[in-house]
mmCIF file of all heavy atoms in Angstrom:
data_model
loop_
_atom_site.group_PDB
_atom_site.id
_atom_site.type_symbol
_atom_site.label_atom_id
_atom_site.label_comp_id
_atom_site.label_asym_id
_atom_site.label_seq_id
_atom_site.Cartn_x
_atom_site.Cartn_y
_atom_site.Cartn_z
ATOM 1 N N MET A 11 42.474 -24.264 11.942
ATOM 2 C CA MET A 11 41.478 -25.307 11.862
ATOM 3 C C MET A 11 41.334 -26.003 13.201
ATOM 4 O O MET A 11 40.254 -26.199 13.692
ATOM 5 C CB MET A 11 41.903 -26.245 10.750
ATOM 6 C CG MET A 11 41.121 -27.511 10.436
ATOM 7 S SD MET A 11 39.794 -28.087 11.401
ATOM 8 C CE MET A 11 40.202 -29.768 11.579
ATOM 9 N N CYS A 15 38.022 -26.159 15.673
ATOM 10 C CA CYS A 15 37.347 -27.422 15.941
ATOM 11 C C CYS A 15 37.071 -27.563 17.439
ATOM 12 O O CYS A 15 35.972 -27.934 17.844
ATOM 13 C CB CYS A 15 38.202 -28.577 15.436
ATOM 14 S SG CYS A 15 37.489 -30.203 15.715
ATOM 15 N N VAL A 86 39.144 -39.788 19.316
ATOM 16 C CA VAL A 86 40.372 -39.038 19.085
ATOM 17 C C VAL A 86 40.244 -38.335 17.741
ATOM 18 O O VAL A 86 39.803 -38.922 16.759
ATOM 19 C CB VAL A 86 41.599 -39.985 19.082
ATOM 20 C CG1 VAL A 86 42.846 -39.249 18.660
ATOM 21 C CG2 VAL A 86 41.776 -40.615 20.449
ATOM 22 N N ILE A 87 40.636 -37.075 17.718
ATOM 23 C CA ILE A 87 40.661 -36.304 16.477
ATOM 24 C C ILE A 87 42.122 -36.082 16.108
ATOM 25 O O ILE A 87 42.887 -35.521 16.894
ATOM 26 C CB ILE A 87 39.959 -34.942 16.638
ATOM 27 C CG1 ILE A 87 38.514 -35.130 17.085
ATOM 28 C CG2 ILE A 87 40.047 -34.141 15.335
ATOM 29 C CD1 ILE A 87 37.819 -33.843 17.489
ATOM 30 N N LEU A 88 42.494 -36.532 14.930
ATOM 31 C CA LEU A 88 43.850 -36.347 14.425
ATOM 32 C C LEU A 88 43.798 -35.408 13.229
ATOM 33 O O LEU A 88 42.904 -35.521 12.390
ATOM 34 C CB LEU A 88 44.452 -37.693 14.012
ATOM 35 C CG LEU A 88 44.526 -38.752 15.104
ATOM 36 C CD1 LEU A 88 44.999 -40.081 14.524
ATOM 37 C CD2 LEU A 88 45.429 -38.307 16.235
ATOM 38 N N VAL A 89 44.753 -34.500 13.155
ATOM 39 C CA VAL A 89 44.778 -33.518 12.069
ATOM 40 C C VAL A 89 46.174 -33.488 11.456
ATOM 41 O O VAL A 89 47.173 -33.379 12.170
ATOM 42 C CB VAL A 89 44.420 -32.106 12.583
ATOM 43 C CG1 VAL A 89 44.422 -31.099 11.436
ATOM 44 C CG2 VAL A 89 43.075 -32.105 13.293
ATOM 45 N N VAL A 109 38.491 -43.109 15.845
ATOM 46 C CA VAL A 109 39.449 -42.139 15.322
ATOM 47 C C VAL A 109 38.767 -41.279 14.268
ATOM 48 O O VAL A 109 38.173 -41.797 13.325
ATOM 49 C CB VAL A 109 40.678 -42.856 14.704
ATOM 50 C CG1 VAL A 109 41.622 -41.840 14.063
ATOM 51 C CG2 VAL A 109 41.394 -43.679 15.760
ATOM 52 N N ILE A 110 38.860 -39.997 14.460
ATOM 53 C CA ILE A 110 38.365 -39.028 13.486
ATOM 54 C C ILE A 110 39.606 -38.340 12.939
ATOM 55 O O ILE A 110 40.354 -37.716 13.686
ATOM 56 C CB ILE A 110 37.420 -38.001 14.141
ATOM 57 C CG1 ILE A 110 36.251 -38.721 14.812
ATOM 58 C CG2 ILE A 110 36.942 -36.978 13.106
ATOM 59 C CD1 ILE A 110 35.510 -37.874 15.814
ATOM 60 N N TYR A 111 39.837 -38.488 11.650
ATOM 61 C CA TYR A 111 41.055 -37.951 11.064
ATOM 62 C C TYR A 111 40.666 -36.927 10.004
ATOM 63 O O TYR A 111 40.010 -37.256 9.036
ATOM 64 C CB TYR A 111 41.884 -39.085 10.459
ATOM 65 C CG TYR A 111 43.313 -38.722 10.127
ATOM 66 C CD1 TYR A 111 44.221 -39.702 9.796
ATOM 67 C CD2 TYR A 111 43.762 -37.407 10.135
ATOM 68 C CE1 TYR A 111 45.533 -39.392 9.496
ATOM 69 C CE2 TYR A 111 45.057 -37.087 9.842
ATOM 70 C CZ TYR A 111 45.940 -38.083 9.519
ATOM 71 O OH TYR A 111 47.227 -37.773 9.208
ATOM 72 N N TYR A 112 41.115 -35.694 10.207
ATOM 73 C CA TYR A 112 40.917 -34.678 9.188
ATOM 74 C C TYR A 112 41.838 -35.012 8.031
ATOM 75 O O TYR A 112 43.056 -35.005 8.177
ATOM 76 C CB TYR A 112 41.222 -33.280 9.726
ATOM 77 C CG TYR A 112 41.070 -32.238 8.649
ATOM 78 C CD1 TYR A 112 39.823 -31.749 8.310
ATOM 79 C CD2 TYR A 112 42.171 -31.782 7.942
ATOM 80 C CE1 TYR A 112 39.679 -30.820 7.303
ATOM 81 C CE2 TYR A 112 42.040 -30.855 6.936
ATOM 82 C CZ TYR A 112 40.787 -30.377 6.624
ATOM 83 O OH TYR A 112 40.650 -29.468 5.614
ATOM 84 N N ILE A 113 41.238 -35.360 6.931
ATOM 85 C CA ILE A 113 41.999 -35.827 5.781
ATOM 86 C C ILE A 113 42.116 -34.700 4.770
ATOM 87 O O ILE A 113 41.122 -34.227 4.234
ATOM 88 C CB ILE A 113 41.305 -37.048 5.132
ATOM 89 C CG1 ILE A 113 41.156 -38.143 6.171
ATOM 90 C CG2 ILE A 113 42.090 -37.542 3.940
ATOM 91 C CD1 ILE A 113 40.218 -39.233 5.739
ATOM 92 N N SER A 114 43.326 -34.299 4.511
ATOM 93 C CA SER A 114 43.541 -33.229 3.541
ATOM 94 C C SER A 114 43.757 -33.826 2.151
ATOM 95 O O SER A 114 44.074 -35.010 2.021
ATOM 96 C CB SER A 114 44.759 -32.398 3.946
ATOM 97 O OG SER A 114 45.916 -33.187 3.862
ATOM 98 N N PRO A 115 43.606 -33.039 1.127
ATOM 99 C CA PRO A 115 43.802 -33.542 -0.236
ATOM 100 C C PRO A 115 45.183 -34.135 -0.486
ATOM 101 O O PRO A 115 45.341 -34.988 -1.339
ATOM 102 C CB PRO A 115 43.580 -32.306 -1.110
ATOM 103 C CG PRO A 115 42.702 -31.419 -0.300
ATOM 104 C CD PRO A 115 43.105 -31.660 1.133
ATOM 105 N N TRP A 118 45.748 -38.001 -0.911
ATOM 106 C CA TRP A 118 45.661 -38.644 -2.222
ATOM 107 C C TRP A 118 46.756 -38.158 -3.156
ATOM 108 O O TRP A 118 47.325 -38.930 -3.908
ATOM 109 C CB TRP A 118 44.300 -38.360 -2.849
ATOM 110 C CG TRP A 118 43.223 -39.147 -2.205
ATOM 111 C CD1 TRP A 118 42.811 -40.398 -2.548
ATOM 112 C CD2 TRP A 118 42.435 -38.777 -1.081
ATOM 113 N NE1 TRP A 118 41.822 -40.823 -1.710
ATOM 114 C CE2 TRP A 118 41.555 -39.848 -0.805
ATOM 115 C CE3 TRP A 118 42.366 -37.651 -0.269
ATOM 116 C CZ2 TRP A 118 40.639 -39.820 0.235
ATOM 117 C CZ3 TRP A 118 41.459 -37.621 0.768
ATOM 118 C CH2 TRP A 118 40.612 -38.695 1.003
ATOM 119 N N SER A 132 38.039 -44.032 9.975
ATOM 120 C CA SER A 132 38.064 -42.588 9.823
ATOM 121 C C SER A 132 36.720 -42.001 9.456
ATOM 122 O O SER A 132 35.857 -42.668 8.927
ATOM 123 C CB SER A 132 39.026 -42.184 8.711
ATOM 124 O OG SER A 132 40.279 -42.672 8.931
ATOM 125 N N ILE A 133 36.650 -40.738 9.721
ATOM 126 C CA ILE A 133 35.571 -39.920 9.190
ATOM 127 C C ILE A 133 36.240 -38.866 8.331
ATOM 128 O O ILE A 133 37.174 -38.209 8.771
ATOM 129 C CB ILE A 133 34.765 -39.245 10.308
ATOM 130 C CG1 ILE A 133 34.071 -40.308 11.163
ATOM 131 C CG2 ILE A 133 33.768 -38.260 9.722
ATOM 132 C CD1 ILE A 133 33.371 -39.753 12.358
ATOM 133 N N CYS A 134 35.783 -38.729 7.129
ATOM 134 C CA CYS A 134 36.364 -37.743 6.231
ATOM 135 C C CYS A 134 35.791 -36.377 6.553
ATOM 136 O O CYS A 134 34.585 -36.205 6.576
ATOM 137 C CB CYS A 134 36.058 -38.114 4.789
ATOM 138 S SG CYS A 134 36.789 -36.959 3.637
ATOM 139 N N CYS A 135 36.652 -35.433 6.785
ATOM 140 C CA CYS A 135 36.215 -34.090 7.160
ATOM 141 C C CYS A 135 36.521 -33.047 6.099
ATOM 142 O O CYS A 135 36.321 -31.876 6.327
ATOM 143 C CB CYS A 135 36.891 -33.683 8.460
ATOM 144 S SG CYS A 135 36.534 -34.774 9.822
ATOM 145 N N SER A 136 37.015 -33.471 4.987
ATOM 146 C CA SER A 136 37.443 -32.537 3.965
ATOM 147 C C SER A 136 36.413 -32.433 2.845
ATOM 148 O O SER A 136 35.832 -33.417 2.425
ATOM 149 C CB SER A 136 38.777 -33.011 3.377
ATOM 150 O OG SER A 136 39.100 -32.286 2.230
ATOM 151 N N ARG A 137 36.200 -31.234 2.343
ATOM 152 C CA ARG A 137 35.309 -31.059 1.197
ATOM 153 C C ARG A 137 35.834 -31.844 0.003
ATOM 154 O O ARG A 137 35.088 -32.387 -0.775
ATOM 155 C CB ARG A 137 35.217 -29.582 0.826
ATOM 156 C CG ARG A 137 34.225 -28.844 1.672
ATOM 157 C CD ARG A 137 34.050 -27.441 1.149
ATOM 158 N NE ARG A 137 34.426 -26.561 2.239
ATOM 159 C CZ ARG A 137 35.121 -25.479 2.130
ATOM 160 N NH1 ARG A 137 35.552 -25.079 0.955
ATOM 161 N NH2 ARG A 137 35.425 -24.763 3.168
ATOM 162 N N PHE A 138 37.136 -31.904 -0.148
ATOM 163 C CA PHE A 138 37.763 -32.657 -1.237
ATOM 164 C C PHE A 138 37.314 -34.114 -1.191
ATOM 165 O O PHE A 138 37.003 -34.715 -2.197
ATOM 166 C CB PHE A 138 39.286 -32.574 -1.104
ATOM 167 C CG PHE A 138 40.020 -33.442 -2.091
ATOM 168 C CD1 PHE A 138 40.256 -33.001 -3.376
ATOM 169 C CD2 PHE A 138 40.466 -34.695 -1.722
ATOM 170 C CE1 PHE A 138 40.939 -33.796 -4.285
ATOM 171 C CE2 PHE A 138 41.149 -35.501 -2.614
ATOM 172 C CZ PHE A 138 41.382 -35.049 -3.896
ATOM 173 N N CYS A 139 37.286 -34.685 -0.022
ATOM 174 C CA CYS A 139 36.929 -36.093 0.128
ATOM 175 C C CYS A 139 35.502 -36.337 -0.348
ATOM 176 O O CYS A 139 35.230 -37.293 -1.047
ATOM 177 C CB CYS A 139 37.065 -36.503 1.589
ATOM 178 S SG CYS A 139 36.717 -38.225 1.883
ATOM 179 N N ARG A 140 34.587 -35.470 0.028
ATOM 180 C CA ARG A 140 33.199 -35.657 -0.371
ATOM 181 C C ARG A 140 33.035 -35.594 -1.886
ATOM 182 O O ARG A 140 32.214 -36.274 -2.458
ATOM 183 C CB ARG A 140 32.322 -34.603 0.299
ATOM 184 C CG ARG A 140 31.939 -35.020 1.692
ATOM 185 C CD ARG A 140 30.961 -34.047 2.301
ATOM 186 N NE ARG A 140 31.668 -33.421 3.420
ATOM 187 C CZ ARG A 140 31.877 -32.139 3.557
ATOM 188 N NH1 ARG A 140 31.435 -31.282 2.682
ATOM 189 N NH2 ARG A 140 32.536 -31.679 4.587
ATOM 190 N N SER A 144 35.761 -40.993 -3.170
ATOM 191 C CA SER A 144 36.607 -41.983 -2.511
ATOM 192 C C SER A 144 35.802 -42.980 -1.698
ATOM 193 O O SER A 144 36.288 -44.054 -1.395
ATOM 194 C CB SER A 144 37.594 -41.293 -1.582
ATOM 195 O OG SER A 144 36.900 -40.718 -0.488
ATOM 196 N N LEU A 146 35.100 -42.584 1.379
ATOM 197 C CA LEU A 146 35.406 -42.400 2.798
ATOM 198 C C LEU A 146 34.550 -41.274 3.344
ATOM 199 O O LEU A 146 34.919 -40.129 3.286
ATOM 200 C CB LEU A 146 36.882 -42.060 2.982
ATOM 201 C CG LEU A 146 37.842 -43.181 2.877
ATOM 202 C CD1 LEU A 146 39.263 -42.662 3.065
ATOM 203 C CD2 LEU A 146 37.553 -44.234 3.923
ATOM 204 N N ARG A 147 33.444 -41.623 3.883
ATOM 205 C CA ARG A 147 32.573 -40.592 4.440
ATOM 206 C C ARG A 147 32.443 -40.740 5.941
ATOM 207 O O ARG A 147 32.341 -39.783 6.648
ATOM 208 C CB ARG A 147 31.215 -40.670 3.786
ATOM 209 C CG ARG A 147 31.329 -40.345 2.302
ATOM 210 C CD ARG A 147 30.151 -39.571 1.823
ATOM 211 N NE ARG A 147 30.487 -39.017 0.537
ATOM 212 C CZ ARG A 147 30.055 -39.487 -0.609
ATOM 213 N NH1 ARG A 147 29.235 -40.514 -0.651
ATOM 214 N NH2 ARG A 147 30.435 -38.942 -1.738
ATOM 215 N N ARG A 148 32.407 -41.954 6.454
ATOM 216 C CA ARG A 148 32.358 -42.160 7.904
ATOM 217 C C ARG A 148 32.856 -43.555 8.200
ATOM 218 O O ARG A 148 32.955 -44.399 7.315
ATOM 219 C CB ARG A 148 30.971 -41.939 8.443
ATOM 220 C CG ARG A 148 29.906 -42.854 7.904
ATOM 221 C CD ARG A 148 28.578 -42.475 8.539
ATOM 222 N NE ARG A 148 27.975 -43.627 9.169
ATOM 223 C CZ ARG A 148 27.120 -44.435 8.554
ATOM 224 N NH1 ARG A 148 26.757 -44.206 7.336
ATOM 225 N NH2 ARG A 148 26.632 -45.464 9.168
#
Side-chain angles (χ1 to χ4, degrees):
M11 176 353 227
C15 180
V86 172
I87 302 170
L88 302 174
V89 181
V109 176
I110 303 163
Y111 194 169
Y112 178 81
I113 302 167
S114 66
W118 286 272
S132 304
I133 296 174
C134 182
C135 301
S136 169
R137 277 187 240 139
F138 174 83
C139 182
R140 276 186 246 122
S144 68
L146 283 179
R147 295 217 165 104
R148 61 181 235 268

